[in-house]
């Protein structure tokens, strides 16, 4: 751990927690289900290479990312595991799938023919739109089977889909999506094209143990990093317990007194109603601290929840430390166990995924065991 105040703004990423979360997921799904950690978007800003390194040591044999570019950078850093590219089969990316041994997820039946011509002997996963209305083919089952049969030089290794509303137990959408998925899987079996790997579940169906969705492989992202979004409606109890891997800190630049009536920051959107002590911390929206936290968010200073005063600026943010013993150089917590990304997201009117992914490249990363 760096000394308090060593950096202006930094995240600490715990390798131990990463391992523990991965093991907890393995424990829930059991030995027969492959856990494929999702490390897209630079592992939700935890650092894809470092995360892959730790999880490969834990035995992970698959990772999922979004783009060929993300896959290439993992390969260049020596990652040996299978890499599933979930959202990029653009023409410019295609050669990289072969050069870097990346496994494409195909979303359109035409892409199967293209892959067949381009990469004989290779595998692919086919994504079906089971009702989310985003990526994945929504072709008729017969047409899917025909397209697969028409591409004999490439191997259908996986059938994949993704849930739109798995946190919402009042919704029938998840069951409908699963039924559609099973229908396609059954047709593939009858056509003697049954893939070895079937997958649809991300964090939520794992955490709430909707085991009929696990099939052969699960794709948790959020849970790997220590988060599970709350389920809505009448839901089973959560089986998975994970803890935040990342803590986010900033140093206090200065502490001072202001008088009643004094404004704070851009636009003077905060004005003191009494004499106050304020601290200016070295984190702003250029670091990824949501601008929407202006006048409504909190950070933790000296184990005390402190309000953000006025606008969040590009590089600095002002907080109320009237009743808190804080000195220049002290560190404050933006995301930690006592104030996690879900709490920050609630205050900013966003989601925890976006709060994590928003942490910018300028924020120094420190890996701890
Ligand atoms: C991002 C993503 C995941 C991981 O979702 P989490 O909710 O973070 O577990 C899984 N599958 C697909 C297709 C994704 O895009």
């Amino acid at each position: 751990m760096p000394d308090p105040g060593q950096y202006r703004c930094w995240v600490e990423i715990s390798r131990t927690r990463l391992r523990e979360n991965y093991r907890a997921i393995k424990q829930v799904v059991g030995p027969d289900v492959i856990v494929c950690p999702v490390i897209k978007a630079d592992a939700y800003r935890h650092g894809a290479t470092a995360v892959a390194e730790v999880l490969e040591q834990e035995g992970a044999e698959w990772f999922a990312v979004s783009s060929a570019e993300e896959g290439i950078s993992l390969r260049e850093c020596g990652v040996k595991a299978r890499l599933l590219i979930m959202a990029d089969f653009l023409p410019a990316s295609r050669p990289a799938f072969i050069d870097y041994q990346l496994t494409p997820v195909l979303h359109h039946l035409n892409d199967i023919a293209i892959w067949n011509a381009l990469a004989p002997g290779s595998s692919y996963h086919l994504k079906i739109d089971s009702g989310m209305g985003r990526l994945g083919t929504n072709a008729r089952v017969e047409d899917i089977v025909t397209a697969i049969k028409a591409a004999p030089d490439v191997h259908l290794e996986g059938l994949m889909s993704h849930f739109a509303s798995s946190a919402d137990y009042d919704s029938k959408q998840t069951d409908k999506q699963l039924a559609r998925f099973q229908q396609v899987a059954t047709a593939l079996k009858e056509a003697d094209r049954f893939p070895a790997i079937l997958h649809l579940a991300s964090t939520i169906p794992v955490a709430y143990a909707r085991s009929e969705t696990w099939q052969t492989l699960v794709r948790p992202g959020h849970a790997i990093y220590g988060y599970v979004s709350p389920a809505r409606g009448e839901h089973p109890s959560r089986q998975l317990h994970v803890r935040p891997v990342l803590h986010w800190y900033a140093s206090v630049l200065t502490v001072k007194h202001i008088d009643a009536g004094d404004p704070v920051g851009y636009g003077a959107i905060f004005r003191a109603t009494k004499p106050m002590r304020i601290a200016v911390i070295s984190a702003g929206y250029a670091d990824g601290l949501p601008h929407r936290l202006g006048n409504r968010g909190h950070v933790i200073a000296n184990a005390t929840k402190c309000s953000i005063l006025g606008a969040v600026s590009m590089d600095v943010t002002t907080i109320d430390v009237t009743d808190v013993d804080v000195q220049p150089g002290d560190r404050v917590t933006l995301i930690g166990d006592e104030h996690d990304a879900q709490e920050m997201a609630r205050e900013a009117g966003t989601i925890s995924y976006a709060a994590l992914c928003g942490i910018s490249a300028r924020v120094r990363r420190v890996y701890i065991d």
Side-chain angles (χ1 to χ4, degrees):
M1 200 164 89
D3 293 337
Q6 185 173 341
Y7 304 117
R8 61 171 287 283
C9 187
W10 74 104
V11 289
E12 274 177 23
I13 294 159
S14 162
R15 292 194 187 91
T16 300
R17 285 207 178 169
L18 197 54
R19 285 195 185 94
E20 287 171 353
N21 293 345
Y22 176 76
R23 287 179 195 171
I25 294 165
K26 299 264 304 172
Q27 189 74 36
V28 166
V29 299
D32 298 331
V33 177
I34 301 166
V35 175
C36 169
V38 177
I39 58 172
K40 65 193 179 190
D42 202 18
Y44 299 30
R45 296 302 291 150
H46 293 64
T49 309
V51 168
E53 206 169 274
V54 170
L55 298 180
E56 268 192 326
Q57 284 167 8
E58 285 295 305
E61 291 175 349
W62 280 90
F63 294 112
V65 293
S66 284
S67 65
E69 202 172 331
E70 291 179 338
I72 292 168
S73 98
L74 289 166
R75 279 285 179 256
E76 284 179 339
C77 291
V79 172
K80 299 278 183 293
R82 296 287 302 276
L83 296 174
L84 187 69
I85 312 300
M86 298 192 295
D88 178 11
F89 193 64
L90 290 166
S93 303
R94 288 173 198 160
F97 283 89
I98 301 160
D99 297 346
Y100 293 88
Q101 292 173 311
L102 310 175
T103 304
V105 172
L106 305 182
H107 300 100
H108 197 284
L109 299 187
N110 290 346
D111 291 340
I112 303 177
I114 291 171
W115 188 238
N116 190 65
L118 199 70
S122 305
S123 308
Y124 66 98
H125 290 219
L126 179 66
K127 186 170 187 178
I128 62 160
D129 177 2
S130 56
M132 181 172 186
R134 205 183 58 175
L135 283 174
T137 176
N138 56 7
R140 297 182 315 153
V141 176
E142 309 83 78
D143 296 338
I144 292 174
V145 170
T146 305
I148 291 167
K149 285 187 167 169
D153 299 333
V154 285
H155 170 62
L156 175 69
E157 180 186 34
L159 184 72
M160 162 178 179
S161 196
H162 192 49
F163 293 123
S165 307
S166 58
D168 185 359
Y169 277 81
D170 287 334
S171 166
K172 297 253 180 292
Q173 193 177 6
T174 305
D175 290 336
K176 282 189 192 155
Q177 287 195 253
L178 182 61
R180 168 70 183 165
F181 186 82
Q182 299 291 22
Q183 186 196 2
V184 177
T186 302
L188 292 175
K189 184 165 235 162
E190 285 164 1
D192 203 21
R193 291 292 186 283
F194 195 64
I197 303 178
L198 301 163
H199 52 113
L200 330 80
S202 57
T203 288
I204 300 223
V206 171
Y208 293 92
R210 209 191 284 239
S211 58
E212 68 277 20
T213 67
W214 297 346
Q215 312 273 321
T216 348
L217 179 149
V218 293
R219 305 184 309 261
H222 220 27
I224 290 282
Y225 311 106
Y227 290 93
V228 175
S229 304
R232 297 184 296 280
E234 208 171 305
H235 59 84
S237 70
R238 199 169 122 180
Q239 299 300 310
L240 177 67
H241 299 282
V242 288
R243 290 186 296 171
V245 168
L246 175 151
H247 288 189
W248 189 7
Y249 302 110
S251 293
V252 173
L253 292 165
T254 191
V255 177
K256 63 189 179 188
H257 291 273
I258 59 170
D259 291 327
D262 285 353
V264 172
Y266 283 119
I269 62 169
F270 179 82
R271 233 169 241 285
T273 54
K274 57 179 184 358
M276 297 178 86
R277 214 157 71 96
I278 62 172
V280 180
I281 64 169
S282 46
Y285 61 79
D287 300 292
L289 192 64
H291 183 258
R292 297 267 313 264
L293 289 178
N295 264 348
R296 58 203 281 197
H298 294 85
V299 305
I300 308 293
N302 199 358
T304 311
K305 199 168 165 179
C306 300
S307 299
I308 291 176
L309 304 177
V312 172
S313 309
M314 188 182 292
D315 307 310
V316 298
T317 298
T318 304
I319 61 171
D320 178 5
V321 292
T322 304
D323 301 315
V324 190
D325 179 16
V326 172
Q327 307 299 325
D330 286 356
R331 76 173 190 189
V332 301
T333 304
L334 312 181
I335 290 178
D337 289 347
E338 64 286 43
H339 184 80
D340 67 13
Q342 284 172 332
E343 184 67 27
M344 174 185 278
R346 246 190 307 278
E347 292 184 338
T350 182
I351 56 173
S352 50
Y353 293 76
L356 291 171
C357 289
I359 299 173
S360 81
R362 182 167 84 174
V363 177
R364 181 179 286 263
R365 280 195 195 119
V366 179
Y367 291 92
I368 58 172
D369 283 327

